[in-house]
């Protein structure tokens, strides 16, 4: 039993942290958010490292690693608040690798895994207005409009942009039912995607906490750093509580996806529910610790706050996942809640 | 204990209500800051002509000498009718009352009438980037010069600075005194040289506030309110009027929001969701507690003559209810809800500042603990 | 408009505070709680002052005052944590006065109002195991076992004692359907009873808060009174927030019972829901401020804590009342929730 | 990252599990403190004979030299099987390890074996009425006297004091030194003259704890552990072992409680109540986060050699989950639930102390803020 990253995992995480920090300084994040775009050159570089295919089998051009490794990359993307189509491309890759036909795999996995193309992927159930991530500009879309999973090229469906408050990612809505069926079973892939997304939320929470802690150390009021007041320091301690719970459940869920599938449904729902709440609660509390300054457009916390809020509702709201947790924990199933 | 209005209070309410039915201009056009502001200036002119601007000011200063209750009824009716705020709200609620309380005869003659008419807009220059909750640590300097003072420094969170003629300005006139004693309160002319106003955009995308930069900007001695070095007391009076004057309207506005949210919940078919119901009930109770707490505070204030520290509870409560309301609205609207620029999205994001502006919730808790409960102050 | 007590109400409250403080020093409360009994001599004195009949019309031997005055007395009973059958006798009096037959009124109201006899009254809906207050030792019982309101003498039904953790009041369960019908409409009386009970909860909360504040001023740790730490002082501030919300809603509801019946159903449910939560939250937070000392049997906070917990579930759980608030606030009715 | 047990860990778990199936004595009889205690002493004897008492102690001291993981597996299996705690849990978890870490050869020879066998029970004399969170402010005095020390003072919150032979006692040997430096750690003989134990009844009605009064009670020099004046460091070690040793079992116990509660909810027909479901899900997530956080802490501790301040998060989390669990149970049972002496009532009331005992939640938040997050300490 060893609940810590192994050396390879640690290296993946550290490298991602470092690379993303240098490519996505917060000024860069701001520039991309304000223009609502991604930086193709950075994607070419990062995509070329094979991050999107990290959990895709080697025979399909991937790195053949697991959901733990993918989740770690997503955590770092969240930590950097990076505008980057990594998650969506990796998610589509997981769907195709685990449920696509041989033809679909051959057609898409090598290009997706090596970052030569990007993919769009739905972030909500069809009944929730089908929010798609990164459909705009993608080479291929994996989606399910209630008639089973499908794969389509953008020309085969209709995409309309959606301007959510989170401008660090591209959202849109899809209509039409073009393309071709994905023949396999996608439950595992959906759970794995949810966990990778929980990783991103954990990273957002971690960074929003670090920003609060740093500010609380520096900012003085009434002759003391504000972090010396329990009103602030206890709020920061609660952030760590939230972040660490989110991380424990998310890492565990990722490990279940790789090694203990019988625990996956419960673990994935716990991870997503907890990480969603942690990301929003920590970001909101971080704003409170900062005070007025973080309410200004010129402050960078807003990107984390808004991405946390939008992301918390995607891939199942926290309440919907908790309803599922109650089911698996022994209370039986009940029609999913709606708000 | 009698929560009904007296006959005369009721007559007053009916008068206001009738007048509003005839004169309410409706929501301001969302045509950008300036157009909206001019709309509200016109609305204030209408109010003034009907004698409703500065309702509670003494008659000798152009007011109607209304009681606190009448002022409160007026504010409530205004909010209930969802009429816009008058353009010069800061002059009416803070600037004028401070001049009446602390100003000299010349100042009263000079400043009061144009506040009422909306001709001269006022803004407030208290907060600075480095002095947030710790207001008295402000650093903007005033240096004696030639029958007046030269101001250098920076203010932040100033509403209407770009529309204002006058700024209620706190500056440090004596850097040697203890921090609460070296501060002076000026009525600063925003048309003076050496002043620059920059809009301060918020996370909502709106620029509701401004920064003001002062660079050796001149203000004559006659614009000092109260004593030189006595600005802290004047500032305290201002803040007291702020909390009392803006509180009632804010409470009604959150009540209006809850009504909107209930309509939205029904529209979305979520009225039978037990968790939504429970959250709505908590909000309803919060809104009612806020309304009733406001009435209790008003009764107490009328007896004591001045607002007490209990008002801090109301501000804290209001922020908390408004934030929970915003969160429920987002949950009700669902994952595709957070559309940039939409009304609910705006309210939701805007509410995050409620626990910071006008006293952070942490500072309010300190006030409640120390001044209401008598707990020891942390030294 | 005047949201403050008038001179007479103030005098009633002050007198009650003083009298109860002298008769129910906490040692006395402890003694009665440990023996699970009431002090007949004290009841004879207090009952003789006509408190139980304060809201009963003068023609029936009452004082002809209102629910505001009754609620104030109950608030002070809560503040004193007094083991006293006041509430139950007053509540039965309200039911009989507003819904009883002429015969029932004549038979019971003068004796109840003057404290010569006491009454038992149900504190839960029949489906919740019918917890009765003060049935043991009462001369008359008012109850509703699902077949409509009835009045019975103890010999006509069966009463079995119930040892709840709150030992400052006598609880029991009732079986049988003896006695005679109460012919009138009891909705108003039930709302008024609920509000009086909310008054008691507000008083419990007030006292538990005062105990915490006093302790926080005196107790030193790490060289300061603990009340100088925001971890403690902010917790105390939150107690005041809770107490004042409970009080605003409870006073308002009592006034509605007397003067604005159309607002009564909403007001009563808001008062009870808020006061229930306030009493428990404040008592629990007060225990935390006190630390270990208040967890000992020898400390008096336990009486407030336990009475708050038990009382919060009586006359409708907070959640049930909130469900009703949601109904009246515009969401329509829904089968009451159960936990 | 590998959360499965290794082959040898799995073999070890199977061994324990098999042994427990054969030997678990079941719940202790609720026949009053003494009978229950003797039952647990017998149970410890059984454990000891099988070589499971002091599992992680070095073999030379009668242990099995088990790894932290093995010790943790053992604790978990014990809790999962709902077997009672061994009688001498404080000796096994704190007293013995402290003697091993800080004691001299004679002390090791004298004290360790009777701890394992349960022959000599240990209790802990740290807390005092006036020194709760601020443990180092303790006032119990030790005055040098005749080859030893005379102890005068009062301790509280002492479990098993009436059954104990030895007390881990902190007393002030030098009132002139700064408060952390004048403290010495004694192994005090509870049979000595001048010691009185009084049961301390709790709000649950139970007397789980005691007060100890010392009146000029003698303890010889040879019973000092570590240096005279060096007791604070020894105490810190003790508390570290306490948090690490009792944490895992406590986490399993709250998990067991949740299983009981889920059964109760089904029995009461509340499994479809959306609000109950939501609260159960939160509890399940809390219980799982606690279990997983414990595994992460264990991994970290094995690398670092000693437990870090992160353990404070787990303690805080445990108290919070356990209290919420108690509240849900009471809500599920309904208005007539709070029956004195019932199991759920007891758990509910008992849980209120969880956020106080072994470090208040406020102190734990300070530790997290200062020692994990590096925020400045309040001076």
């Amino acid at each position: 039993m060893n609940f810590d990253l192994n050396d390879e995992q640690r290296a993946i995480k550290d490298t991602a942290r470092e690379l993303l920090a240098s490519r996505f300084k917060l000024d860069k994040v701001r520039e991309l958010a304000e223009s609502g775009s991604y930086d193709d050159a950075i994607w070419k570089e990062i995509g070329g490292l094979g991050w999107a295919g990290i959990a895709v089998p080697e025979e399909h051009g991937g790195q053949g690693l697991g959901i733990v490794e993918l989740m770690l990359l997503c955590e770092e993307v969240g930590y950097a608040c990076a505008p980057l189509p990594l998650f969506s491309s990796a998610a589509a890759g997981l769907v195709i690798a685990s449920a696509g036909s041989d033809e679909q795999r051959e057609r898409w996995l090598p290009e997706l895994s090596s970052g030569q193309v990007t993919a769009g992927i739905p972030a909500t159930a069809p009944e929730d207005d089908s929010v798609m991530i990164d459909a705009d500009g993608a080479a291929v879309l994996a989606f399910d409009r209630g008639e089973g999973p499908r794969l389509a090229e953008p020309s085969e469906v209709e995409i309309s942009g959606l301007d959510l408050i989170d401008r660090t990612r591209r959202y849109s809505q899809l209509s039409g039912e073009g393309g071709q069926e994905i023949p396999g079973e996608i439950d595992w892939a959906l759970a794995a995607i949810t966990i990778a997304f929980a990783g991103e939320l954990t990273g957002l929470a971690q960074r929003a906490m670090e920003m609060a802690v740093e500010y609380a150390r520096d900012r003085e009021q009434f002759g003391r750093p504000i972090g010396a007041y329990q009103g602030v320091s206890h709020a920061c301690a609660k952030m760590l509580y939230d972040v660490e719970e989110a991380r424990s459940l998310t890492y565990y869920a990722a490990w279940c996806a790789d090694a203990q599938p019988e625990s996956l449904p419960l673990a994935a729902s716990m991870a997503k529910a907890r990480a969603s709440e942690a990301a929003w609660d920590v970001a909101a509390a971080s704003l409170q610790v900062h005070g007025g300054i973080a309410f200004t457009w010129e402050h960078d916390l807003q990107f984390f706050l808004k991405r946390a809020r939008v992301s918390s509702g995607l891939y199942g709201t926290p309440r919907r996942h908790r309803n599922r947790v109650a089911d698996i924990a022994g209370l039986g199933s009940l029609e999913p809640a709606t708000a | 204990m009698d929560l009904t209005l007296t006959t005369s209070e009721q007559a007053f309410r009916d008068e206001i209500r009738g007048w509003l039915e005839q004169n309410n201009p409706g929501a301001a056009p969302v045509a950008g800051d300036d157009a909206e502001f001019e709309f509200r200036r016109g609305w204030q002119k209408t109010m003034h002509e009907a004698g409703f601007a500065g309702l509670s000011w003494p008659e000798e200063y152009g007011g109607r000498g209304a009681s606190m209750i009448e002022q409160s009824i007026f504010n409530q009716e205004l909010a209930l009718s969802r009429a816009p705020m008058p353009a010069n709200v800061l002059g009416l609620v803070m600037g004028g009352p401070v001049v009446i309380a602390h100003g000299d005869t010349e100042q009263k003659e000079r400043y009061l009438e144009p506040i009422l008419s909306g001709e001269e807009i006022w803004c407030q220059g208290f907060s600075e980037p480095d002095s947030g909750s710790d207001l008295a640590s402000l650093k903007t300097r005033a240096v004696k010069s030639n029958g007046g003072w030269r101001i250098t420094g920076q203010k932040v969170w100033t509403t209407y600075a770009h529309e204002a003629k006058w700024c209620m300005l706190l500056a440090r006139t004596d850097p040697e005194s203890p921090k609460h004693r070296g501060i002076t309160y000026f009525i600063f002319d925003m048309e003076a040289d050496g002043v620059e106003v920059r809009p301060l955009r918020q996370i909502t995308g709106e620029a509701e506030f401004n920064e003001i930069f002062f660079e050796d900007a001149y203000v004559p001695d006659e614009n000092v309110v109260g004593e030189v070095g006595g600005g802290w007391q004047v500032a305290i009076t201002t803040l007291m009027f702020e909390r009392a004057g803006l509180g009632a309207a804010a409470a009604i506005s959150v009540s209006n929001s809850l009504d909107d949210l209930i309509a939205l919940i029904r529209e979305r078919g979520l009225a039978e969701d037990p968790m939504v119901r429970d959250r709505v009930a908590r909000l309803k109770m919060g809104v009612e507690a806020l309304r009733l707490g406001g009435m209790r505070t008003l009764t107490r204030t009328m007896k004591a003559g001045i607002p007490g520290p209990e008002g801090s509870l109301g501000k804290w409560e209001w922020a908390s209810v408004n934030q929970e309301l915003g969160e429920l609205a987002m949950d009700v609207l669902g994952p595709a809800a957070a559309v940039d620029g939409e009304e609910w999205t705006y309210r939701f994001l805007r509410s995050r500042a409620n626990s910071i502006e006008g006293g952070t919730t942490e500072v309010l808790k300190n006030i409640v603990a120390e001044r209401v409960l008598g707990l020891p102050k942390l030294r």
Side-chain angles (χ1 to χ4, degrees), chain A, chain B:
Chain A
M1 197 288 293
N2 173 11
F3 198 155
D4 197 4
L5 306 181
N6 61 33
D7 290 344
E8 187 184 1
Q9 291 162 341
R10 171 67 53 202
I12 289 170
K13 191 169 197 292
D14 290 349
T15 306
R17 167 79 55 107
E18 210 173 308
L19 182 64
L20 291 165
S22 81
R23 296 305 178 270
F24 293 104
K25 295 196 195 324
L26 288 169
D27 282 352
K28 181 73 184 177
V29 171
R30 171 174 298 269
E31 178 200 317
L32 294 173
E34 294 199 339
S35 63
S37 62
Y38 292 160
D39 183 312
D40 292 340
I42 299 181
W43 172 248
K44 205 170 166 195
E45 179 191 5
I46 289 180
L49 297 174
W51 286 12
I54 195 164
V56 167
E58 285 173 280
E59 72 250 39
H60 301 304
Q63 296 191 39
L65 295 169
I67 301 305
V68 170
E69 288 77 11
L70 173 60
M71 176 275 296
L72 292 173
L73 289 180
C74 290
E75 186 182 355
E76 292 308 319
V77 168
Y79 185 87
C81 207
L84 201 64
L86 171 70
F87 166 80
S88 48
S89 298
L94 288 180
V95 171
I96 297 170
S98 67
S101 64
D102 287 344
E103 208 185 315
Q104 289 165 339
R105 289 180 183 151
E106 275 164 40
R107 168 71 190 87
W108 294 111
L109 289 177
E111 279 181 53
L112 277 174
S113 299
S114 57
Q116 290 168 60
V117 300
T118 63
I121 188 94
T124 53
E127 63 273 22
D128 290 326
D129 312 328
S130 275
V131 176
M132 291 281 290
I133 288 183
D134 294 336
D136 174 28
V140 63
L141 308 173
F143 60 92
D144 182 342
R145 309 255 306 132
E147 313 279 320
R150 302 185 76 80
L151 212 54
E153 298 190 35
S155 59
E156 298 175 291
V157 292
E158 225 171 286
I159 301 164
S160 52
L162 193 59
D163 285 332
L164 300 186
I165 50 174
D166 170 26
R167 308 293 298 261
T168 63
R169 187 156 28 212
R170 289 190 298 213
Y171 300 95
S172 55
Q173 286 180 304
L174 194 71
S175 40
E177 270 286 358
Q180 45 181 222
E181 274 180 23
I182 296 175
E185 175 57 64
I186 62 164
D187 284 359
W188 178 86
L190 290 183
I193 290 172
T194 304
I195 294 162
F197 208 68
E200 202 186 293
L201 285 156
T202 303
L204 287 168
Q206 173 76 31
R207 182 74 171 275
M209 172 180 76
E210 289 180 16
M211 290 167 85
V213 168
E214 191 185 334
Y215 189 79
R217 277 197 210 115
D218 292 345
R219 167 84 167 178
E220 294 204 0
Q221 293 276 275
F222 304 105
R224 285 192 182 88
I226 60 171
Y229 296 99
Q230 289 178 341
V232 170
S233 68
H234 287 188
C236 291
K238 179 59 166 60
M239 294 180 203
L240 187 71
Y241 183 111
D242 290 342
V243 168
E244 291 298 329
E245 285 207 347
R247 183 169 287 127
S248 291
L249 289 168
T250 300
Y251 281 30
Y252 168 66
W255 177 79
C256 288
D258 291 333
Q260 196 170 287
E262 68 276 19
S263 305
L264 183 58
L266 176 63
S269 278
M270 293 196 301
K272 178 57 174 56
R274 191 66 189 89
S276 294
E277 247 186 18
W280 169 248
D281 287 353
V282 170
S286 182
L287 171 53
Q288 184 69 19
V289 164
H290 281 85
I293 186 73
F295 194 66
T296 63
W297 189 264
E298 70 190 30
H299 198 279
D300 297 316
L301 183 65
Q302 60 160 319
F303 301 115
F304 296 87
L305 182 92
K306 291 171 176 175
R307 186 157 166 161
R309 176 69 217 188
V310 170
S311 301
S312 74
L314 303 179
Y315 298 103
T317 61
R319 182 173 165 200
R320 198 177 285 219
H321 280 294
R322 286 197 299 270
N323 186 46
R324 199 156 165 234
V325 169
D327 172 2
I328 304 173
L331 294 184
S333 73
L334 186 74
E335 186 64 11
T338 34
Chain B
M1 195 166 145
D2 183 2
L3 307 188
T4 44
L5 300 179
T6 63
T7 318
S8 77
E9 286 163 0
Q10 202 160 345
F12 180 77
R13 190 197 58 190
D14 293 345
E15 178 198 341
I16 304 297
R17 201 168 274 186
W19 183 80
L20 278 169
E21 269 166 28
Q22 298 296 319
N23 294 280
N24 185 346
V30 195
D33 287 340
D34 287 345
E36 189 204 334
F37 198 83
E38 286 314 311
F39 180 88
R40 286 171 51 197
R41 201 195 287 262
W43 168 226
Q44 176 163 349
K45 195 155 169 276
T46 311
M47 281 173 62
H48 181 48
E49 281 159 7
F52 293 135
L55 198 66
S56 60
W57 294 19
E59 291 181 34
E60 56 184 307
Y61 303 128
R64 196 164 143 167
S67 71
M68 285 184 192
I69 293 224
E70 286 169 334
Q71 180 69 60
S72 157
I73 290 169
F74 181 80
N75 292 347
Q76 280 180 46
E77 291 300 319
L78 204 65
L80 277 173
S81 77
R82 303 199 181 201
M85 287 280 229
N88 200 12
V89 56
L90 300 186
L92 291 168
V93 168
M94 290 184 265
V98 160
V99 168
I100 292 169
H102 296 281
D104 57 32
T105 315
E106 290 73 26
Q107 289 172 336
K108 288 173 184 162
E109 276 171 18
R110 168 63 190 84
Y111 296 111
L112 295 177
E113 170 57 26
I115 289 178
L116 293 175
S117 66
E119 203 179 312
E120 291 180 351
I121 302 300
W122 285 53
C123 68
Q124 185 192 23
F126 283 16
S127 286
E128 300 183 3
D130 287 336
S131 68
S133 294
D134 187 6
L135 179 57
S137 69
L138 60 88
K139 291 188 190 128
T140 292
R141 276 177 298 124
V143 178
K144 199 78 194 82
S145 161
N146 200 13
W149 303 79
R150 295 262 167 204
I151 311 289
T152 302
Q154 182 187 352
K155 295 289 177 181
V156 72
W157 304 118
T158 308
T159 330
Y160 312 130
H162 54 300
E163 312 280 0
K165 167 69 177 167
W166 300 111
C167 176
M168 307 170 243
L169 177 70
L170 292 183
R172 188 164 301 282
T173 40
D174 182 1
E176 306 299 314
S177 289
K179 71 178 182 178
H180 291 84
R181 297 220 198 106
I183 296 171
T184 300
Y185 184 109
F186 297 95
I187 301 176
F188 182 91
D189 185 347
M190 292 295 284
E191 292 170 15
D193 290 338
V195 183
E196 193 196 341
V197 173
R198 291 187 208 152
L200 186 61
R201 204 169 159 207
Q202 298 155 249
I203 65 171
T204 56
E206 237 201 11
E208 183 188 345
F209 299 101
N210 303 276
E211 292 177 292
I212 314 181
F213 297 83
F214 300 90
E215 180 71 50
D216 214 31
Y218 183 76
V219 54
D221 282 334
E222 68 215 47
N223 286 28
V224 169
V225 179
E227 302 293 314
V228 169
W232 185 249
Q233 279 317 308
V234 185
I236 293 290
T237 312
T238 309
L239 294 175
M240 228 164 57
F241 284 122
E242 176 180 14
R243 210 156 286 168
L246 300 178
I252 302 283
S253 145
V254 55
S255 174
N256 288 340
S257 281
L258 179 57
D259 291 343
D260 296 346
L261 179 55
I262 288 171
L264 178 72
I265 287 167
R266 295 173 61 100
E267 191 188 305
R268 296 271 165 152
L270 293 172
E272 297 203 343
D273 181 323
M275 293 193 69
V276 169
R277 293 172 71 86
D278 204 67
R279 291 169 75 183
V280 165
R282 285 184 185 281
L283 288 169
K284 180 75 184 171
M285 289 156 63
V287 162
E288 279 294 282
L290 196 54
R291 177 178 76 87
L292 298 165
M295 289 167 74
R296 288 174 66 202
T297 301
L298 182 61
T299 301
R300 213 178 293 122
T301 305
M302 284 174 61
K303 286 189 184 156
I306 51 159
E310 300 85 359
S312 297
L313 269 187
K315 163 68 190 16
W316 166 11
E317 207 172 11
W318 167 75
S320 157
V321 172
N322 219 21
Q323 289 180 345
E324 278 164 33
L325 199 154
E327 300 219 19
L328 178 54
M330 296 306 280
D331 287 347
V332 162
L333 285 166
V339 175
D340 213 6
E342 291 281 334
E343 179 64 17
W344 280 114
T345 312
Y346 173 79
R347 287 193 209 175
F348 163 71
L349 284 176
R350 183 64 184 79
S351 76
R352 298 318 309 178
N354 294 163
S355 50
I356 298 167
E357 59 195 331
T360 66
T361 294
E362 288 74 17
V363 164
L364 300 173
K365 288 179 182 172
N366 288 347
I367 294 173
V368 169
E370 291 162 19
R371 297 179 49 205
V372 186
L373 297 177
L375 286 169
K377 203 171 149 66
L378 179 63
R379 313 245 164 230

